[in-house]
Amino acid sequence: MKTIVLAEKPSQASDYANAFQKHTKKQGYFEVSDPVLANETFITYGFGHLVELASPEQYDTKYKKWDLKNLPIFPEKYKFIVPKDKKGQFSIVSDLIKDADQIIIATDSDREGENIAWSILNKAKIDLKSKDIKRLWINSLEKESILNGFKNLKDGWEFYNFFKEAQTRQISDWLIGMNASPLFTIELQRKGINGVYSIGRVQTPTLYLVYKRYLEIKNFKPTPYFEINAEVQAGADKFNGKLDPYIRFSDKNKLNDFAKEKNIKSGVQEGIISDVKKNLKKSQSPRLFSLSDLQTEVNKRYHASASDTLKAVQKLYEQKILTYPRTDCNFITDNEFNYLKKNLSKYISFLNKDLNLNNTNPNKRYVDSSKVQEHHAIILTKTVPSKDNFNKLSDLEKKIYQLVLKTTLAMFADPFEYEETVILTKVNLAIFKTIGKTPKNIGWKELFSEESKESKDDENLLPAVTIGDIVKVDLSVDQKETKPPIPYTEGTLIKAMKTAGKDLDDEEDQEILKDIEGIGTEATRANILETLKNKQYLLTEKNKLTVSQQGITLCKAVELEPLLASAEMTAKWEKALKQIGQKQRTQDNFLEQIKKFITKIINDLPNKMNDSSILNSQIEEQITTQKEIETESEISNCPICKTGKILDKGKFYGCSNYNADEPCKFSLPKKWSEKTLSKTIVKELIEKGETKIIKGFKSKKTGKKFDAKLKLSDGKLSFNFNKGE
C-alpha cells in the first residue's frame, strides 16, 4: 500500500520525517520508513497555500481596470489556481497523491489546515472516494507526539465540513473584497481622494473599533470634580482613607452641602476607629495562555506587535519547546497535566530557582477536558531547551518562552495569600475606609518576582488599631478632572477583537460572538492588524494605535453601510459558517445571501456618499492635508511621465500620477542593497541620471560592504562601478 503524508510546509514535513527511524530527502518529498507506517510511505508538502482563488482579471481581462460598470463580480464557478512560483511543487504533490492508496492529511490541525489540504486534493482532480483518507491531529512537533499521532490517525472525512466552512469563508471574503474595495475606491477617487481603499469582513470592523476610540478621545471634554480625602494619625502612625461609600462631587456647592450634613470640615478634627476587619484572602495564578491572551500580555510587557509575537511563538513550536500556538483555549486535559507533572524537576532546573510546587492535583481552573475542543492552551512540551539552544533564540523568543514556562509552572504553586485589613474611621457622621494588604505567602508570584514589582505593590502595611481608638483626622479637598479613554495598543485591540459585540442589541448575536471569541480568529487577528498598518489606516506611536486621515475617511464612508463596520455582520456570518461546518446549511445558500448584500451596497452607496455632508467635509479635509504633504515631500519631476512629481510615499518614492487616468507606475525603493536612499540621493539620481560614489552598500551574496555609484536608465536603477568622475 502506498501512503502519502501531506504536510503544510517543508519544515513541518522535515519534523515528521525526523521522527521516523529512516528517511531520505528527495526533490519535493521524503521517503520514510518506521514500524508505525505502511510499507511504502512518502511525506510531501505545500508552501502554505499551494492553491488559491483566482483574481478577477483571470476570469476576464476587463476586470484589470476597476470600473463601476463591471460590478458586481459574481463568478458562475470559482476558479482555483496554482501560482507560478508553486507549480513545480504542486506537480510533485499531485503526482504522488494520484498514485496513493492512502492519503494522510498532516497540515496544521485547524480549519485553515483543512482548507489547504483539501484544496490541493481537489485541484489534483483525483477520485477522492477511491482513497483511504486519514487525519493526523497533534499539538506538538516532538517525536513522541508525532509517533503517537500516526498510531492514532482519525478518519479524514470527519473534518471535510471544516474545509467547506473555511472555503466558504475564503470565497465570501473574496466577494466582499473584490466588490466593495473597487466600489469605495472609485467613489472616493471621484471626489478627489488619492489611493486605493480596502474593505474586509474583519479588517474593516477592526479599524472601526480604533476609529470609535479615536472619536471618544477627540471629543472628550474633561469634567472637574472634587474628592474628600482623610489622613488619619493613630499615635505615631499615619494612613489614608477615602469616603465610604465613595462620592465624587461635581461642584463645590454639593461638597459643602455634604460636609454640612455630615458635620465635617477641612483640617484636623477628632475621629474614632469604628470597625477593623481582617480576612485571609487567596489569589490563584493566571490562566494558561490562548494565543490572543499571550499576544495581549506580551504587548503589555514588552510592546511587541501581535504579528511578532505569533512569529516568535510559532518558532518556539517548531523548536519543539512549546505546543501548538493558534489556539483559543485556556485549558489542558489530564494527559497534558500528567506529563507536565512528571517533568517538573526539568522545568525548575531550567529556571534555576528554589521553588515549592506542591499542587500536584489537577485544578479545574486549568485542567478541564470538556473545555478543550481542537487544541489545548499554549504550554511547555516535554522537551526543555539546553542553555546553548536557548541562547540561540531571539530576545523576544526567550521572553515568550520564559513567560509561558512560568505561567505553566504557576498552576503547580501555592496561591498568593495575603491578609486584607479594612479600617473604618468615623468623623462625626462621615465614614472613611482604608484597605491594606499584607502578603502572608508569596506563592506563585515568586515565579515572576524578578521582572515584576507586583508582589511589592500589594504591600500596604497598616498600623495596629482597635475599635474605639480616638484618632486625629486631617480632611482635605482635592480637585481633579475626569480622564479620556486610553488609546488602544495592539494588545488591548486584540482583546477588544476577542470580546467584540458585547454591546450588540441582538442577544443571539452576542451569544454567537461569545461562542466564537469575537471577530477574527486566533490565527488571523495578527495578520489583520499588520494589514491595517501596512495600508497605513492604523498608525503606531509609542505602542499606541490611532487612525490616519486615510483611515478616518474610510470609516466615515463605511458608516454609510453600517454592517460593514459592525461586529454584528461578523456575528451573522459566523452563525451561518458554523452551520455549514455542522452540515446544517449549504455553501451555495450562504453565498447567495452574500451576493444580495453586495448588490444592495453597490446600488445604494453612490447616492449615500453624494448626500453625506459629514463624509464630504472629511474628504475636503483630507484633500487639503494631502496637498500639504505632497508639497512638502516633492523631490523632483518624474523622469518617465514628465508631468508628475516624485513624492516620498513612506515606504518608497513614487510618481504623483500613480492614480491618474493614465497612471504612471514609476517608483524607486527606499533601500537598495541595505543602503537607505535619502531624498538628496534620489533628487541627484533623477536630475543627473547618476549619483556620486555612495559608501556602505552590502552584497547579498557575500555580506561584504562596498562603494559604488547609482545609475538611472529608462526608469531602471543599477550600479555603476566606474570610480572615475
Side-chain angles (χ1 to χ4, degrees):
M1 181 173 74
K2 185 173 183 179
T3 297
I4 302 300
V5 179
L6 178 56
E8 189 158 317
K9 52 190 174 182
S11 62
Q12 190 181 55
S14 179
D15 286 331
Y16 295 155
N18 288 327
F20 300 127
Q21 286 185 359
K22 292 182 181 179
H23 69 274
T24 306
K25 179 77 173 75
K26 301 288 186 178
Q27 183 64 41
Y29 66 97
F30 294 85
E31 286 183 9
V32 291
S33 65
D34 193 278
V36 307
L37 301 173
N39 291 335
E40 195 179 4
T41 300
F42 304 87
I43 303 173
T44 189
Y45 47 84
F47 299 134
H49 285 272
L50 278 187
V51 178
E52 58 189 43
L53 274 166
S55 58
E57 60 265 28
Q58 290 171 300
Y59 290 88
D60 194 318
T61 54
K62 70 180 181 181
Y63 294 130
K64 278 187 176 180
K65 186 175 180 181
W66 285 0
D67 191 327
L68 287 182
K69 290 183 286 187
N70 292 332
L71 299 181
I73 303 172
F74 293 156
E76 287 185 19
K77 188 175 180 182
Y78 295 95
K79 289 183 180 179
F80 290 86
I81 57 120
V82 179
K84 284 183 181 178
D85 60 338
K86 297 180 180 180
K87 283 188 175 179
Q89 182 61 20
F90 177 79
S91 179
I92 291 169
V93 176
S94 181
D95 288 344
L96 284 168
I97 60 178
K98 282 176 182 176
D99 291 338
D101 300 297
Q102 183 184 67
I103 299 170
I104 300 174
I105 295 174
T107 48
D108 281 355
S109 305
D110 54 27
R111 282 164 172 76
E112 201 51 43
E114 297 301 326
N115 193 9
I116 288 169
W118 286 98
S119 293
I120 292 170
L121 298 181
N122 287 329
K123 186 66 178 175
K125 296 180 180 177
I126 58 176
D127 180 8
L128 294 175
K129 294 292 184 182
S130 68
K131 309 290 184 181
D132 178 24
I133 300 180
K134 298 293 185 184
R135 203 358 162 156
L136 176 72
W137 198 272
I138 56 177
N139 280 296
S140 166
L141 289 175
E142 289 177 295
K143 179 178 178 179
E144 185 180 347
S145 179
I146 291 169
L147 291 175
N148 283 337
F150 275 95
K151 289 175 185 175
N152 297 281
L153 294 169
K154 300 176 183 292
D155 181 356
W157 289 102
E158 287 181 11
F159 300 86
Y160 184 76
N161 281 298
F162 290 153
F163 154 63
K164 294 301 288 184
E165 177 184 335
Q167 187 193 60
T168 308
R169 183 182 285 105
Q170 179 187 15
I171 294 172
S172 51
D173 285 349
W174 186 94
L175 286 170
I176 289 287
M178 296 305 166
N179 285 284
S181 297
L183 174 65
F184 277 84
T185 298
I186 291 167
E187 290 299 327
L188 287 169
Q189 287 179 355
R190 280 179 174 178
K191 294 179 177 295
I193 293 284
N194 291 340
V196 175
Y197 286 81
S198 173
I199 303 292
R201 177 179 65 95
V202 178
Q203 92 180 29
T204 304
T206 300
L207 174 64
Y208 200 76
L209 282 173
V210 184
Y211 170 68
K212 283 201 299 183
R213 178 63 56 88
Y214 157 81
L215 287 181
E216 289 168 3
I217 295 169
K218 180 185 176 185
N219 298 328
F220 179 81
K221 293 180 181 177
T223 304
Y225 66 92
F226 301 88
E227 280 183 347
I228 301 176
N229 294 310
E231 183 183 70
V232 182
Q233 181 153 3
D237 297 305
K238 290 181 179 180
F239 55 92
N240 296 318
K242 296 276 188 186
L243 268 175
D244 184 44
Y246 174 75
I247 301 174
R248 183 183 279 186
F249 301 95
S250 58
D251 59 57
K252 271 283 183 69
N253 291 332
K254 290 180 180 178
L255 184 147
N256 292 334
D257 290 343
F258 176 85
K260 188 175 180 181
E261 179 190 334
K262 300 295 183 180
N263 194 23
I264 58 174
K265 61 185 179 181
S266 292
V268 179
Q269 51 222 282
E270 191 175 87
I272 184 170
I273 302 298
S274 62
D275 196 12
V276 179
K277 289 180 180 175
K278 291 188 176 183
N279 293 304
L280 190 64
K281 294 198 170 185
K282 295 181 180 182
S283 169
Q284 298 286 341
S285 69
R287 292 191 182 277
L288 301 174
F289 286 120
S290 68
L291 176 58
S292 289
D293 293 336
L294 182 61
Q295 287 167 321
T296 299
E297 186 65 19
V298 170
N299 179 261
K300 178 183 174 183
R301 286 172 178 259
Y302 313 120
H303 292 181
S305 71
S307 176
D308 286 344
T309 298
L310 177 55
K311 287 174 188 171
V313 73
Q314 176 69 26
K315 178 78 178 294
L316 296 170
Y317 169 64
E318 291 171 1
Q319 292 283 320
K320 306 175 182 63
I321 56 178
L322 288 186
T323 58
Y324 186 72
R326 292 174 177 82
T327 175
D328 60 0
C329 183
N330 301 101
F331 297 90
I332 58 174
T333 71
D334 288 301
N335 288 336
E336 288 78 51
F337 183 82
N338 288 335
Y339 86 66
L340 290 170
K341 184 168 70 172
K342 285 179 184 176
N343 289 279
L344 277 179
S345 59
K346 287 200 300 183
Y347 304 138
I348 295 171
S349 176
F350 178 85
L351 274 180
N352 197 24
K353 271 194 169 198
D354 185 17
L355 297 170
N356 292 316
L357 303 182
N358 304 316
N359 295 324
T360 53
N361 291 320
N363 183 331
K364 277 279 189 181
R365 178 176 170 83
Y366 319 100
V367 187
D368 189 342
S369 298
S370 68
K371 300 286 181 65
V372 180
Q373 300 298 319
E374 294 173 6
H375 295 285
H376 57 66
I378 301 170
I379 57 170
L380 311 170
T381 65
K382 298 169 191 173
T383 301
V384 178
S386 66
K387 291 296 180 185
D388 285 343
N389 287 338
F390 183 74
N391 289 333
K392 291 175 185 176
L393 299 174
S394 71
D395 183 56
L396 182 59
E397 288 162 4
K398 288 176 185 174
K399 287 175 176 175
I400 289 174
Y401 180 75
Q402 289 192 316
L403 180 59
V404 175
L405 169 65
K406 292 173 182 180
T407 303
T408 304
L409 294 185
M411 71 174 166
F412 292 98
D414 289 336
F416 168 61
E417 294 184 10
Y418 59 94
E419 184 179 72
E420 182 181 83
T421 303
V422 179
I423 300 174
L424 298 183
T425 305
K426 190 173 183 181
V427 183
N428 289 327
L429 299 176
I431 302 290
F432 294 86
K433 180 192 280 188
T434 305
I435 299 176
K437 292 180 181 179
T438 305
K440 293 298 182 184
N441 179 4
I442 200 68
W444 62 267
K445 288 198 175 187
E446 177 62 25
L447 282 154
F448 299 92
S449 58
E450 291 175 10
E451 71 267 18
S452 172
K453 296 179 181 178
E454 198 170 356
S455 55
K456 291 182 182 178
D457 291 341
D458 281 316
E459 294 184 31
N460 181 16
L461 301 178
L462 297 177
V465 293
T466 57
I467 296 172
D469 284 355
I470 303 300
V471 292
K472 294 291 185 183
V473 183
D474 186 0
L475 297 184
S476 61
V477 175
D478 290 342
Q479 182 173 350
K480 298 182 177 180
E481 285 187 338
T482 54
K483 294 181 179 179
I486 299 171
Y488 280 118
T489 64
E490 285 202 36
T492 55
L493 182 56
I494 286 278
K495 190 172 182 180
M497 292 171 75
K498 191 171 182 177
T499 58
K502 284 188 174 179
D503 56 348
L504 293 181
D505 295 329
D506 190 314
E507 289 184 7
E508 188 178 7
D509 289 343
Q510 288 180 22
E511 283 304 308
I512 294 161
L513 283 172
K514 182 180 176 183
D515 289 343
I516 61 154
E517 296 286 316
I519 60 176
T521 67
E522 300 293 324
T524 62
R525 289 181 188 125
N527 288 336
I528 292 295
L529 298 194
E530 285 303 300
T531 298
L532 291 170
K533 289 192 295 181
N534 290 337
K535 293 183 181 299
Q536 297 187 323
Y537 299 153
L538 285 185
L539 305 174
T540 308
E541 186 175 350
K542 294 181 180 178
N543 202 42
K544 293 177 180 177
L545 293 171
T546 189
V547 190
S548 67
Q549 275 280 9
Q550 191 178 7
I552 293 169
T553 300
L554 180 57
C555 286
K556 287 188 181 294
V558 167
E559 280 178 329
L560 302 174
E561 292 294 343
L563 282 181
L564 283 173
S566 170
E568 180 184 354
M569 185 180 85
T570 301
K572 302 285 188 189
W573 281 36
E574 291 301 338
K575 177 182 177 181
L577 289 166
K578 204 170 184 181
Q579 288 172 340
I580 293 169
Q582 295 166 347
K583 302 183 184 179
Q584 295 171 357
R585 190 174 188 142
T586 66
Q587 185 181 84
D588 288 343
N589 172 271
F590 178 72
L591 294 178
E592 282 304 313
Q593 289 197 330
I594 295 296
K595 289 177 185 178
K596 289 177 184 177
F597 172 62
I598 291 169
T599 301
K600 185 178 184 304
I601 292 175
I602 291 170
N603 291 335
D604 294 351
L605 185 69
N607 289 334
K608 286 182 178 179
M609 287 181 70
N610 287 332
D611 295 341
S612 174
S613 58
I614 295 173
L615 174 61
N616 287 307
S617 175
Q618 168 61 26
I619 288 171
E620 287 177 18
E621 185 178 339
Q622 184 178 332
I623 290 171
T624 301
T625 305
Q626 196 171 281
K627 286 178 179 176
E628 290 172 357
I629 292 171
E630 287 182 357
T631 300
E632 289 175 6
S633 64
E634 279 184 15
I635 298 169
S636 180
N637 292 327
C638 179
I640 303 301
C641 70
K642 310 300 183 187
T643 60
K645 301 288 184 183
I646 300 304
L647 307 175
D648 184 342
K649 298 272 191 176
K651 293 191 175 181
F652 65 95
Y653 301 105
C655 181
S656 59
N657 283 336
Y658 185 87
N659 289 307
D661 290 335
E662 294 183 9
C664 175
K665 305 294 184 184
F666 175 73
S667 66
L668 289 170
K670 275 282 181 80
K671 270 195 173 184
W672 185 260
S673 290
E674 299 297 316
K675 178 71 178 178
T676 299
L677 305 186
S678 67
K679 291 181 182 179
T680 304
I681 291 173
V682 171
K683 184 177 176 66
E684 182 183 21
L685 186 63
I686 290 172
E687 293 181 354
K688 296 182 179 179
E690 189 175 84
T691 68
K692 295 175 184 175
I693 293 174
I694 300 171
K695 295 183 177 181
F697 293 110
K698 190 174 181 181
S699 170
K700 288 182 181 178
K701 288 184 179 179
T702 65
K704 293 181 179 179
K705 291 192 173 182
F706 63 92
D707 305 337
K709 296 179 181 180
L710 282 179
K711 181 171 68 172
L712 188 66
S713 178
D714 296 327
K716 303 213 172 160
L717 188 61
S718 62
F719 287 115
N720 180 0
F721 293 100
N722 179 8
K723 303 277 176 143
E725 292 293 320

